[in-house]
Amino acid sequence: MPLSDAQLERYARHIVLKEIGGPGQQKLLNARVLVIGAGGLGAPCLMYLAAAGVGTLGIVDHDTVSLSNLQRQIIHDTGNVGRPKVESASESLARINPDVKVEAHQLKLNAANALDIISRYDIVADGCDNFPTRFLVNDACHLAKVPLVSGAVGPFEGQIATFRSYERDAEGKPLANYRDLVGEAPPPGSIPACEETGVLGALTGVIGSMMALEVIKEITGAGTSLAGRLLIYDALDTRFRTVRLPHDPRNPLSGDNPSIRDLSAHA
């Protein structure tokens, strides 16, 4: 459908970009994006995707808003402390852009529901804060052939990667996925949680916003995809670097002899 007068005005700064234009904006309006986590990374990612006019935004989060979240989770405010994050986030997105349809999933992703939920969307942005969920989302996206933009942060450093491991590069090799970056989840308790190490609030804004940018690029085809590469940001040194993320033929999901063919290992 043609853009309405209100949409032409709202998205005017996108439409004048030759890399996006009217056709790219239509792609955004027709897109379905699932964001895992309405926390530090998910908050800015959701807000910029809503502002960009992504037609349907799914949110997965089982948690409630706590006062300690507000230092970085900018989609929530003080009045929403104690409320489910999906409800608080949905209301914020409606205020930002009424064009956007929000689908709230107040639940934990698991082996029984992940593939079904992820398969309903065109692309996934994962801003979760734990290894089991990252592996689950990675495996489900690979099996469902859904692109995945994955972000993570430490106290002063963040990283972003795009995974499309069901596709091959120019040399005919599979593109990398999260299991090529992290071979297996570390033992529980071996990596300190955010509550112990802390995190610079504005850092999550940088990485979450860049996740939204990579999602927009994947939808519109603008620029060069991050697939096959890892972007690392050091906030203390104000330094970005991008490294190649090669495919590991021993990858149990997408390697030469894959052993993961469903999500039963996550049960």
Side-chain angles (χ1 to χ4, degrees):
M1 295 178 62
L3 299 177
S4 67
D5 290 345
Q7 289 173 326
L8 287 171
E9 182 175 357
R10 179 183 288 271
Y11 307 119
R13 301 304 186 272
H14 274 177
I15 293 169
V16 297
L17 294 171
K18 64 182 178 61
E19 294 85 356
I20 296 180
Q25 189 60 52
Q26 284 282 15
K27 290 179 181 178
L28 290 169
L29 288 165
N30 292 331
R32 293 177 53 81
V33 179
L34 180 67
V35 178
I36 312 295
L41 297 177
C45 185
L46 283 162
M47 294 172 79
Y48 269 110
L49 291 177
V54 171
T56 302
L57 284 173
I59 311 172
V60 172
D61 202 306
H62 70 282
D63 205 359
T64 57
V65 180
S66 65
L67 192 59
S68 64
N69 296 152
L70 303 185
Q71 162 255 14
R72 63 200 178 281
Q73 299 181 20
I74 57 172
I75 203 167
H76 313 296
D77 58 32
T78 306
N80 282 310
V81 170
R83 295 186 65 203
K85 288 184 179 180
V86 293
E87 291 183 7
S88 171
S90 296
E91 291 178 1
S92 293
L93 298 180
R95 288 192 294 270
I96 291 171
N97 191 348
D99 280 349
V100 177
K101 176 185 177 184
V102 179
E103 297 177 348
H105 305 277
Q106 189 181 350
L107 48 77
K108 275 188 177 183
L109 283 181
N110 56 43
N113 62 27
L115 199 56
D116 174 60
I117 293 173
I118 285 171
S119 297
R120 304 176 201 171
Y121 293 88
D122 302 317
I123 186 167
V124 173
D126 182 16
C128 76
D129 61 358
N130 65 87
F131 285 100
T133 302
R134 286 184 195 139
F135 278 100
L136 173 65
V137 171
N138 175 78
D139 295 357
C141 285
H142 175 85
L143 294 171
K145 297 184 178 180
V146 173
L148 169 62
V149 174
S150 178
V153 293
F156 296 102
E157 186 176 273
Q159 63 183 38
I160 310 170
T162 297
F163 301 129
R164 296 203 312 252
S165 55
Y166 49 87
E167 296 180 357
R168 294 180 178 269
D169 62 17
E171 298 176 357
K173 297 179 180 178
L175 292 169
N177 61 59
Y178 188 71
R179 290 183 179 274
D180 295 299
L181 174 64
V182 180
E184 59 183 26
S190 62
I191 305 294
C194 173
E195 292 85 350
E196 301 172 65
T197 62
V199 62
L200 187 64
L203 171 64
T204 65
V206 172
I207 301 302
S209 298
M210 294 189 72
M211 289 171 64
L213 178 57
E214 294 305 316
V215 169
I216 291 169
K217 286 168 56 182
E218 291 294 318
I219 293 170
T220 62
T224 302
S225 172
L226 195 56
R229 296 178 294 153
L230 176 70
L231 176 68
I232 302 168
Y233 174 54
D234 185 330
L236 290 183
D237 286 342
T238 318
R239 181 165 57 98
F240 285 94
R241 60 192 175 102
T242 305
V243 298
R244 181 172 172 268
L245 187 56
H247 167 68
D248 184 351
R250 299 167 297 176
N251 187 314
L253 179 68
S254 60
D256 294 342
N257 297 291
S259 57
I260 300 174
R261 301 183 184 278
D262 55 36
L263 299 181
S264 58
H266 297 277

